[in-house]
Structures are given as structure tokens and as C-alpha cells.
């Protein structure tokens, strides 16, 4: 490819991307990398000093933004980038034109703009090129048709950067004064933290309600048993609140004839899921590959920028990975349909291509994440990729192909079965055609969990049922259930929540999730986010002093404002002024009235072992600790043992340690246990009672124990005078069998029954769930 006006300098962000692009351009093109951003606001933080006209007064170079002159930013070359800038300037002087080929998003536009300012070339010789994929066709076409830099997109990025700087540089020092030196608060990250803390509080305060389901295991003419669920009683929805009602219904059903009253048969198509966008890629990689969002994006960046494929050289394997649009280029759609026809058969190609709509508010700037070419299937490039690259590329490949495949077809049968005034219902399905599921298997979670009108298991195979059939009752299965609190967020579900609320954008999801973990505001415990004590304190302070700033709705509206700036419908100065006036007012108020954790502390439920006062969580030079509110009269302090516990992992009890101090419940590696409140001075500890009375001696209670090899069992706390023990977890519950007087049930699990309660005395069962 020739440049008639002389040499051309092409600047990208990374050396890997430069290598991939260079192979497609001729000798008259020099391709170099800026290695990320080259300019930014100053990095040195400093506290605000005084006020001027109601605004906090800053020394301009430190904040880097002149709030009194239209929020003018003052950028500096990032330390260490002077050599890169010098080299690029030298190459630019020798080139007739410069093509800025940084990523096609706001951050890429900002890098391009800063490069244009520093390279010293006339505006007429500096152009912008954007690649959605690093293929020869796309690169040559973009280079042949360069465009101008997008000032509106750059201003959208500047606005976000200035907003983040104002929030971070004003609230962070405030937290240093009120809580602990070195803390920080981000504009969007603080909202994510609030969502996690609010969800955890919802879980902790949730009061479950008991309810029961009753199912009948039925047989037709010696067939395999199938289960039908009770759905109506006397024509009204079945609502069973306690074991007494469940037993009454069970006894009634046992005396009835089970007869099929209605059978409906129909085909149902299940359509393929759309190709990946950034958020869904991060969610699926988290669920299926156990990859963090940050790692997912790092590996996706490698696949986008180029992988060395032996004689093929460096090849960009996927399209741009920061996108919120599921649309696919027509040529990619045609290629997928052709691939399906040749490799799977014409029955896997739908009559019309599958199209997918973007969600409301999507920027729709780039197409979905997909392979750049179907000439590079995962098995062909596997030897050139490491395991994580292979796994992620295979996930993207399969999802893309499946998105253009025919639907899966299920033959579904729903039968209503009457037993007196009771109506039972069963739905079964048989896969008639696997369709897209041959390529990409999905779970109920991925598909939204809505497959049929009946939420019970529909995968069972039913016998040939017809109206009027009389069925044999195998057994009745009462299941005790409890309403559940909302689930704690994990990385995938948090990203989904942020996306649905319009908080953040494809380029920021991974950063948000990573930042709140780095700041020690949350931890991942059993793959779920748990707010730390520090995280709870910060969230509470911000909600009290800056309710708008940490409001999900306000943050989503601000994201929409950034979109309007990019579209040219709003200006940077307008949005910043609208934000700053109320924010500055709240900040001035917070300086005076925000709770000072260093002085006031946060109350806990744990008592001081020396004077009896409730201990406080305090902040010191080395972090949070427990201290007595009677200081300096009482100088008792204690290390904060758990950083994720609600009440410092110590729940008061009426038990007394052998040293005379009250005992508290703590959480250990093997579960809860009783510990002395004077720990570490006293290391007294004992098992926590299950609340179940010993069925042998009738005097002791069953407690959690471990064998010498570490296996959990439950034994009487009167040991050695009573040697009763059991392997399964005891549950303090009266046996639902009217003829049994046992007050203890044991929890068991089997493949057939799922979780169920077993009476050790009469051998009866109460199924808890599948």
C-alpha cells in the first residue's frame, strides 16, 4: 500500500497492536505505540484549603482543574512518558502525515487528542482512524478513509475525568480526616459499594417465611414414577404455610383417586442468545471460566490486538471488546451462516438471519464481540494460545456461531391431574431438535430462568398421558420451603446490576469491580462480595453526607449526560456546573457535620470485658480496632479480628467462660464457635449448640464437633457421661409423623430426594428441596 505524499506515521496504544497493523501496511508506513495515555491531570493530591465565594479553594496545579474558569483542565505529560513523546515527535517531523489509530472509544479519543497536541504537526496533517477489528480489510479501508478527531467524544471523556477528579480529590481527604489516612472515594465505585452494602443489609435483616409444597409421585401402567406438583385447592392457588396443613392435605390426598383431567401438547422454540457485548462476556467468563472481569478484559485485549500464529504472523482474533451493541456486520453474519451450513448441516441455519436489539441507552458505537475470521477456529489456533486465551476465545467463538444458529425445539406436555378437590400439574419436555444448543449449552441463569409457565423441572420424560387416565399413587412428598432473601452479589451479578441500572459503561465495569476490592472495601468470600467493616463505614458516611453522589439513579443520569456530550447535545461546562454547585454545597456541609469515626467510633454489640461498656470500632494509625468508649478512664483495646463481619464477628451470648467473662459467637474456618470475649488474653472456646436435644439422655444438647482427622460430626455436650453422636446435621424439629414423638430430625442429601429431613426414630422423610 503506497502513500503518494511520503511516509505516514501511525500511532496506536500498544506494541502488540502496532505489530499486527504493521504487517498489513507497506514500507511507507511507520507504526509506533504510545503505550497508553501520554497526558493526564497532575497526580499529586492535596487537601482543600479555605473557601472562596462559597467554593472550596484549591491550588490549581494540584487539582488540575480551574473550577472558576469554566472547569478548564490542566494536563501534564505523565512521568516516564517524555521519552515516548520525544521519539514520536521525531518520527512525526519526518512524516508527511500522522494517523492516530488508538482504540475507538472515549479513552482512545483522549489519547489521540493529547498526541495531536504534543506531536507538533499542523492540524491538516493529523488524522484519526478507527478499527473495530484488526483485519487486513478493515485496516486498509480505515487508512484509506481517515477522519477528523472527534471533539465531542473527547469532551465526554474529559468531563468524566474531571468529575472523577473533583470527587476523588475532595472526598478522599475528607475521609482522611474523619476515618483513616489513605482512604479514597470514587464517583462510580462508591455507588457500586453502596449496592453491595445495601444488598448485604437486606440479607441480614431478611425474615424468612415458611411454606410447604406437596408433590405426588405417580405411575401409569408400571411406568417410571413422575412427579406432579399441587397447584390448586378447591380452585384457589395452593398456599400451605405450616406442617399441620401439609399433613392434612397429604392424608386427604392419600384417600383420593388421581385422574388426568387435561393434557396440552405443543412445540416450543428456544431462541439462541445474542453474541457477546462487554458486560455479558464478563458475566459468562466469570460463571463458566471463573475469570475476574479485569482478567477477562486483559485477555480479550490480547486477542483483539493480535496473537502470533506462526507463519500467519500476528493476527487479531476478535473484534473490539468494549461494546454495548449485539449487532453483527452483514459479512460476518453471512460467514457464520455459511460455516453452519458446511459444518453442521442446513437444518442448523435459520431461514432468516438472527438479529438482536440493543438495550435502551446503549451507545451502539461498535458491533458485538465476535471472531474476526472463521478461518481460525479454536482448534486451529490452540497451540498458539495459553489456556486462558484458549478458553476465552472458544467461549466467544461458540457464542457467536450459536447466535446465528436455528432455535432448539422442544416437544412439551402439560397435564392437569385431579385428586378430589386437589389439582396437581406436571410439565415434561423432550428435545426434538438441539439447534444452537449443540454449539453453546445454556443454563437457566443465562436464559433468565424462564422456559415455561411452570417453574418446576420440565426436563422429565412423561409416559403417554391422556384425559381420563387413572394413575397409581406411588407416594406423596411434602417439601418444607422458606422464602429466600435476595442473593449476595458476585462479580457477574454486580456487573449485570450496574448495566441494568445504567451505571458505568463497557470500558469501566472491570475497573469498578477491581477498584472496590483493591481499596479493601469489599472482599470475595465463597465467590460472593462481602463488604468489610471499613466498606460499611464508608458507605454509611457517604450516604449520609452525599446522598445524590451515591444514588444509583443520579449516577445513571450522569452517564446519560456524558452520552449527550458525545452526541453534541450538551456541553462539558454545562454538565460540570450542574454537578458542581450542589456537590460543593454538600461538601462544605460534610466538612462540618460528617461523623468523625476517629473520635466517635461505631457502636458494636460486644461489651468491654473490663468495664462493661459497649465497645466501639475506632480508626487509628494502623487501621480499625475495637476500643472502649470510656477512654481514657478505661484503656481496653482489641484487634478487629474479622474485616467482613457485621458486628466484628462477635455475637453476645448468655454463656460464661471458665474465666468468668461472657462468651461470644465467632466465625472460624470450621464454622461458628463460642469464644471468650477476652481473647487473646483468654483463649477459652467451645462448640456452638445446634439447639437440638440429645435423643439418648434427654438432658444434653447436640453440638458441632470434629474427629481427629477433621471430619464433622455432632455429639452430646454431656460426653463422656453420654456418648450419643451422629454424622448428619441435627435439626431441632418435631417429627411430622403424628405417631412419632421424636424432637430431633437429621438433615440428609441424596441424588434422588435432594435435601431432606430424616427421623432417626421412625425413619420418616420430609423433603426440603431438589
Amino acid at each position: 500500500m503506497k502513500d503518494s505524499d511520503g511516509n505516514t506515521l501511525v500511532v496506536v496504544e500498544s506494541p502488540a497492536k502496532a505489530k499486527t497493523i504493521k504487517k498489513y501496511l507497506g514500507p511507507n508506513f511507520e507504526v509506533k505505540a504510545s503505550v497508553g495515555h501520554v497526558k493526564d491531570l497532575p497526580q499529586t493530591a492535596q487537601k482543600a484549603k479555605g473557601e472562596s465565594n462559597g467554593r472550596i479553594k484549591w491550588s490549581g496545579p494540584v487539582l488540575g482543574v480551574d473550577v472558576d474558569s469554566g472547569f478548564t483542565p490542566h494536563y501534564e505529560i505523565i512521568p516516564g512518558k517524555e521519552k515516548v513523546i520525544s521519539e514520536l515527535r521525531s518520527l512525526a517531523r519526518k512524516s508527511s502525515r500522522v494517523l492516530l489509530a488508538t482504540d475507538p472509544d472515549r479513552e482512545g479519543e483522549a489519547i489521540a487528542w493529547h498526541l495531536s497536541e504534543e506531536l507538533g504537526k499542523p492540524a491538516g496533517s493529523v488524522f484519526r482512524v478507527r478499527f473495530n477489528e484488526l483485519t487486513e480489510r478493515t485496516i486498509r479501508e480505515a487508512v484509506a478513509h481517515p477522519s477528523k478527531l472527534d471533539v465531542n467524544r473527547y469532551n465526554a471523556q474529559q468531563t468524566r475525568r474531571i468529575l472523577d477528579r473533583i470527587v476523588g480529590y475532595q472526598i478522599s481527604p475528607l475521609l482522611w480526616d474523619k476515618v483513616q489516612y489513605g482512604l479514597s472515594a470514587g464517583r462510580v465505585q462508591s455507588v457500586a459499594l453502596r449496592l453491595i452494602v445495601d444488598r448485604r443489609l437486606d440479607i441480614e435483616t431478611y425474615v424468612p417465611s415458611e411454606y410447604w409444597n406437596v408433590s405426588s409421585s405417580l405411575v401409569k401402567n408400571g411406568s417410571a414414577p413422575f412427579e406432579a406438583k399441587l397447584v390448586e385447592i378447591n380452585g384457589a392457588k395452593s398456599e400451605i404455610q405450616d406442617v399441620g396443613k401439609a399433613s392434612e392435605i397429604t392424608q386427604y390426598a392419600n384417600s383420593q383417586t388421581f385422574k388426568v383431567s387435561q393434557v396440552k401438547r405443543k412445540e416450543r422454540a428456544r431462541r439462541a442468545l445474542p453474541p457477546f457485548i462487554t458486560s455479558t462476556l464478563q458475566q459468562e467468563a466469570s460463571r463458566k471460566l471463573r475469570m475476574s472481569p479485569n482478567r477477562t478484559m486483559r485477555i480479550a485485549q490480547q486477542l483483539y490486538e493480535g496473537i502470533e500464529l506462526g507463519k500467519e504472523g500476528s493476527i487479531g482474533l476478535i473484534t473490539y471488546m468494549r461494546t454495548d451493541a449485539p449487532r453483527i456486520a452483514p459479512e460476518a453474519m453471512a460467514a457464520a451462516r455459511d460455516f453452519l451450513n458446511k459444518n453442521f448441516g442446513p437444518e442448523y441455519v435459520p431461514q432468516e438471519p438472527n438479529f438482536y436489539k440493543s438495550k435502551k441507552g446503549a451507545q451502539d458505537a461498535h458491533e458485538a464481540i465476535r471472531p474476526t475470521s472463521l478461518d481460525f477456529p479454536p482448534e486451529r489456533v490452540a497451540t498458539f494460545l495459553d489456556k486462558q486465551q484458549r478458553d476465552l476465545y472458544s467461549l466467544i467463538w461458540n457464542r457467536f456461531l450459536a447466535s446465528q444458529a436455528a432455535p432448539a425445539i422442544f416437544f412439551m406436555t402439560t397435564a392437569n391431574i385431579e385428586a378430589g378437590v386437589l389439582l396437581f400439574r406436571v410439565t415434561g419436555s423432550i428435545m426434538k431438535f438441539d439447534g444452537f444448543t449443540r454449539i453453546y449449552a445454556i443454563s437457566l441463569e443465562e436464559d433468565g430462568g424462564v422456559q415455561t409457565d411452570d417453574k418446576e423441572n420440565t426436563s422429565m420424560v412423561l409416559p403417554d398421558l391422556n384425559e381420563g387416565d387413572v394413575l397409581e399413587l406411588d407416594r406423596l412428598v411434602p417439601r418444607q420451603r422458606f422464602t429466600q432473601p435476595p442473593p449476595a452479589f458476585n462479580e457477574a451479578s454486580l456487573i449485570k446490576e450496574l448495566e441494568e441500572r445504567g451505571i458505568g459503561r463497557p470500558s469501566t465495569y472491570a475497573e469498578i469491580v477491581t477498584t472496590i476490592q483493591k481499596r479493601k472495601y469489599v472482599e470475595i468470600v465463597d465467590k460472593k462480595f462481602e463488604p468489610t467493616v471499613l466498606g460499611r463505614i464508608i458507605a454509611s458516611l457517604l450516604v449520609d453526607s452525599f446522598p445524590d453522589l451515591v444514588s444509583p439513579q443520579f449516577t445513571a443520569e450522569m452517564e446519560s449526560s456524558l452520552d449527550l456530550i458525545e452526541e453534541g447535545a450538551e456541553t462539558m461546562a454545562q454538565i460540570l456546573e450542574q454537578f458542581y454547585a450542589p456537590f460543593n454545597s454538600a461538601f462544605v456541609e460534610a466538612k462540618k457535620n460528617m461523623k468523625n469515626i476517629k473520635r466517635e467510633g461505631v457502636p458494636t454489640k460486644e461489651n468491654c470485658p473490663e468495664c462493661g461498656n459497649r465497645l466501639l470500632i475506632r480508626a487509628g494509625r494502623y487501621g480499625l480496632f475495637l476500643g472502649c468508649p470510656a477512654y481514657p478512664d478505661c484503656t481496653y483495646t482489641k484487634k478487629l479480628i474479622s474485616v467482613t463481619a457485621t458486628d466484628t464477628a462477635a455475637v453476645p451470648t448468655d454463656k460464661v467462660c471458665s474465666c468468668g467473662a461472657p462468651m461470644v459467637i465467632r466465625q472460624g474456618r470450621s464454622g461458628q464457635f463460642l469464644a471468650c470475649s477476652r481473647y487473646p488474653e483468654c483463649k477459652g472456646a467451645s462448640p456452638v449448640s445446634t439447639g437440638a436435644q440429645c435423643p439418648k439422655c434427654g438432658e444434653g444438647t447436640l453440638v458441632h464437633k470434629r474427629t481427629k482427622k477433621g471430619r464433622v460430626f455432632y455429639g452430646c455436650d454431656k460426653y463422656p457421661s453420654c456418648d450419643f453422636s451422629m454424622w448428619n446435621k441435627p435439626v431441632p424439629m418435631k417429627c411430622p409423623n403424628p405417631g412419632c414423638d421424636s424432637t430431633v430430625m437429621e438433615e440428609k442429601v441424596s441424588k434422588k430426594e435432594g435435601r431432606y429431613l430424616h427421623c432417626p426414630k421412625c425413619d420418616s422423610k420430609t423433603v426440603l428441596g431438589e
Side-chain angles (χ1 to χ4, degrees):
M1 188 173 188
K2 296 181 179 180
D3 178 9
S4 58
D5 296 323
N7 290 336
T8 297
L9 173 64
V10 181
V11 186
V12 298
E13 293 102 329
S14 74
K17 187 175 176 182
K19 189 174 184 179
T20 301
I21 292 173
K22 176 64 178 175
K23 64 176 285 189
Y24 297 124
L25 301 178
N28 292 335
F29 288 83
E30 188 74 38
V31 186
K32 292 293 181 180
S34 67
V35 197
H37 281 273
V38 294
K39 294 173 72 174
D40 196 6
L41 299 173
Q43 295 302 306
T44 306
Q46 179 175 308
K47 293 183 181 180
K49 297 180 179 180
E51 299 176 29
S52 176
N53 298 323
R55 295 178 184 260
I56 297 298
K57 189 175 181 181
W58 291 81
S59 54
V62 177
L63 179 63
V65 179
D66 191 341
V67 297
D68 293 318
S69 298
F71 297 91
T72 304
H74 299 279
Y75 295 107
E76 295 179 352
I77 293 177
I78 297 172
K81 286 299 181 74
E82 295 85 358
K83 185 177 179 180
V84 173
I85 291 290
S86 176
E87 180 184 357
L88 292 176
R89 279 178 184 159
S90 176
L91 292 170
R93 283 195 295 268
K94 302 173 185 177
S95 304
S96 60
R97 64 172 182 164
V98 175
L99 300 181
L100 302 175
T102 48
D103 284 348
D105 58 9
R106 291 174 187 167
E107 293 302 312
E109 206 67 35
I111 295 173
W113 201 274
H114 293 155
L115 285 168
S116 70
E117 293 173 340
E118 293 299 321
L119 294 184
K121 295 288 287 183
S125 60
V126 177
F127 301 93
R128 184 80 166 97
V129 292
R130 300 176 181 86
F131 310 126
N132 183 61
E133 57 184 65
L134 299 185
T135 60
E136 182 174 6
R137 179 188 60 81
T138 302
I139 292 170
R140 287 181 177 275
E141 185 175 324
V143 170
H145 302 92
S147 61
K148 294 181 179 180
L149 277 72
D150 190 334
V151 66
N152 290 332
R153 182 172 291 179
Y154 173 49
N155 282 338
Q157 189 276 344
Q158 285 196 103
T159 305
R160 183 200 65 78
R161 185 72 184 93
I162 292 169
L163 285 169
D164 291 346
R165 173 55 66 98
I166 290 173
V167 170
Y169 269 38
Q170 294 195 201
I171 294 184
S172 296
L174 181 63
L175 295 178
W176 302 351
D177 287 337
K178 306 291 186 178
V179 186
Q180 179 182 320
Y181 180 80
L183 298 179
S184 60
R187 181 178 58 87
V188 181
Q189 293 88 347
S190 296
V191 182
L193 173 62
R194 179 185 180 175
L195 290 175
I196 293 172
V197 171
D198 285 352
R199 177 61 61 86
R200 175 47 60 185
L201 292 175
D202 288 343
I203 294 170
E204 291 169 353
T205 58
Y206 185 82
V207 179
S209 299
E210 179 185 9
Y211 69 98
W212 286 71
N213 288 335
V214 175
S215 296
S216 57
S217 178
L218 303 169
V219 175
K220 178 185 177 181
N221 299 332
S223 69
F226 63 92
E227 224 175 76
K229 179 185 173 184
L230 177 64
V231 293
E232 291 183 10
I233 304 173
N234 275 321
K237 182 181 178 182
S238 172
E239 293 182 350
I240 307 171
Q241 305 299 331
D242 54 55
V243 65
K245 183 68 172 177
S247 297
E248 178 185 328
I249 290 171
T250 301
Q251 290 175 7
Y252 171 80
N254 266 314
S255 64
Q256 301 301 308
T257 299
F258 284 74
K259 186 176 181 180
V260 178
S261 60
Q262 185 185 58
V263 178
K264 290 183 179 179
R265 295 181 174 89
K266 61 180 177 181
E267 282 190 353
R268 176 163 294 187
R270 187 182 301 172
R271 192 167 181 247
L273 294 172
F276 284 129
I277 57 176
T278 303
S279 60
T280 55
L281 175 63
Q282 292 172 347
Q283 292 166 46
E284 281 294 84
S286 176
R287 275 196 291 259
K288 292 190 171 181
L289 305 179
R290 299 291 183 259
M291 282 186 190
S292 69
N294 194 44
R295 178 171 295 179
T296 298
M297 295 309 291
R298 187 167 63 247
I299 295 170
Q301 184 94 30
Q302 295 166 3
L303 296 174
Y304 164 71
E305 291 183 342
I307 300 291
E308 283 290 334
L309 301 182
K311 295 180 180 179
E312 300 280 355
S314 182
I315 300 289
L317 291 176
I318 66 170
T319 54
Y320 190 56
M321 61 284 157
R322 296 185 182 94
T323 177
D324 56 10
R327 61 182 172 82
I328 298 172
E331 57 271 20
M333 195 176 291
R337 290 170 63 82
D338 184 59
F339 187 94
L340 289 167
N341 183 56
K342 291 178 180 177
N343 293 273
F344 294 90
E347 66 273 21
Y348 285 88
V349 184
Q351 289 186 351
E352 298 293 333
N354 294 332
F355 292 91
Y356 301 92
K357 293 182 179 179
S358 297
K359 292 184 177 180
K360 184 180 179 181
Q363 293 177 279
D364 204 20
H366 316 292
E367 65 171 298
I369 304 169
R370 60 168 176 82
T372 55
S373 171
L374 297 184
D375 292 334
F376 298 104
E379 57 272 17
R380 180 182 172 186
V381 300
T383 56
F384 302 102
L385 306 177
D386 62 34
K387 184 180 184 306
Q388 291 187 330
Q389 290 171 337
R390 283 196 306 272
D391 290 346
L392 193 63
Y393 183 57
S394 296
L395 193 69
I396 293 169
W397 174 279
N398 292 336
R399 179 74 167 237
F400 167 65
L401 274 184
S403 73
Q404 287 304 306
I409 306 298
F410 294 85
F411 187 75
M412 308 194 70
T413 300
T414 299
N416 286 350
I417 302 162
E418 292 181 353
V421 299
L422 307 178
L423 179 67
F424 291 80
R425 181 173 295 145
V426 60
T427 299
S429 67
I430 298 174
M431 181 180 282
K432 186 177 178 181
F433 175 62
D434 55 5
F436 77 93
T437 64
R438 181 176 171 185
I439 307 166
Y440 192 91
I442 63 172
S443 64
L444 288 177
E445 184 179 15
E446 294 169 78
D447 204 31
V450 181
Q451 303 302 339
T452 70
D453 296 331
D454 187 275
K455 294 184 181 180
E456 295 300 309
N457 177 30
T458 62
S459 61
M460 70 176 74
V461 178
L462 301 177
D464 183 24
L465 298 177
N466 298 285
E467 291 182 15
D469 285 347
V470 176
L471 306 175
E472 178 187 345
L473 177 63
D474 176 44
R475 64 192 174 104
L476 287 160
V477 186
R479 290 183 171 93
Q480 184 189 37
R481 300 287 181 85
F482 292 91
T483 56
Q484 298 295 312
F489 286 117
N490 56 29
E491 291 182 319
S493 61
L494 179 62
I495 289 172
K496 184 177 181 181
E497 184 80 6
L498 294 172
E499 181 189 28
E500 290 178 349
R501 288 175 176 260
I503 299 169
R505 287 295 181 261
S507 60
T508 62
Y509 295 138
E511 178 189 0
I512 292 168
V513 171
T514 302
T515 300
I516 56 177
Q517 294 178 70
K518 284 183 177 179
R519 291 175 177 168
K520 306 297 183 184
Y521 294 160
V522 301
E523 290 186 349
I524 293 182
V525 179
D526 295 329
K527 301 176 184 177
K528 303 285 187 181
F529 278 121
E530 291 285 349
T532 62
V533 173
L534 179 61
R536 290 173 185 261
I537 291 172
I538 298 302
S540 177
L541 293 176
L542 294 179
V543 169
D544 289 343
S545 297
F546 300 94
D548 282 343
L549 181 68
V550 291
S551 161
Q553 181 179 351
F554 178 82
T555 306
E557 290 171 354
M558 185 56 66
E559 295 289 352
S560 297
S561 296
L562 297 179
D563 294 342
L564 291 175
I565 293 173
E566 184 169 345
E567 294 164 8
E570 289 278 5
T571 67
M572 182 170 73
Q574 287 173 333
I575 298 301
L576 289 171
E577 187 61 51
Q578 290 170 14
F579 168 81
Y580 190 76
F583 170 78
N584 186 68
S585 176
F587 179 70
V588 172
E589 187 70 19
K591 285 194 71 179
K592 301 174 184 175
N593 299 321
M594 179 182 278
K595 184 175 182 178
N596 192 311
I597 304 302
K598 291 180 179 178
R599 289 200 308 264
E600 302 172 46
V602 177
T604 72
K605 294 181 181 179
E606 189 171 349
N607 294 328
C608 175
E610 295 185 2
C611 69
N613 283 304
R614 285 287 175 91
L615 293 175
L616 300 175
I617 299 174
R618 292 190 181 279
R621 181 180 299 178
Y622 302 108
L624 301 178
F625 67 96
L626 290 174
C628 184
Y631 179 85
D633 296 327
C634 178
T635 58
Y636 178 82
T637 60
K638 179 181 175 183
K639 181 181 178 182
L640 188 61
I641 296 176
S642 172
V643 295
T644 57
T646 309
D647 291 307
T648 71
V651 179
T653 71
D654 56 1
K655 303 289 184 183
V656 178
C657 181
S658 57
C659 72
M663 301 195 81
V664 294
I665 297 176
R666 295 198 182 280
Q667 187 73 27
R669 290 184 179 179
S670 303
Q672 291 184 329
F673 66 98
L674 286 169
C676 181
S677 58
R678 292 182 58 244
Y679 178 87
E681 289 84 3
C682 174
K683 294 182 172 59
S686 62
V688 173
S689 171
T690 63
Q693 187 181 43
C694 176
K696 184 175 181 179
C697 69
E699 297 179 0
T701 56
L702 301 181
V703 296
H704 179 284
K705 295 185 175 184
R706 281 184 179 270
T707 66
K708 290 181 179 180
K709 293 185 177 181
R711 185 178 176 185
V712 173
F713 72 100
Y714 301 87
C716 181
D717 64 357
K718 295 297 183 181
Y719 180 85
S721 60
C722 177
D723 61 358
F724 177 82
S725 64
M726 60 195 305
W727 291 114
N728 299 300
K729 181 180 179 182
V731 177
M733 172 182 167
K734 188 179 184 306
C735 176
N737 184 349
C740 180
D741 61 357
S742 175
T743 58
V744 177
M745 302 283 281
E746 58 179 341
E747 186 176 312
K748 291 188 174 184
V749 180
S750 73
K751 291 183 178 180
K752 182 178 179 181
E753 304 284 356
R755 289 177 58 246
Y756 66 93
L757 296 180
H758 171 256
C759 178
K761 191 169 184 179
C762 72
D763 207 34
S764 65
K765 297 179 181 179
T766 299
V767 180
L768 297 176
E770 288 77 3

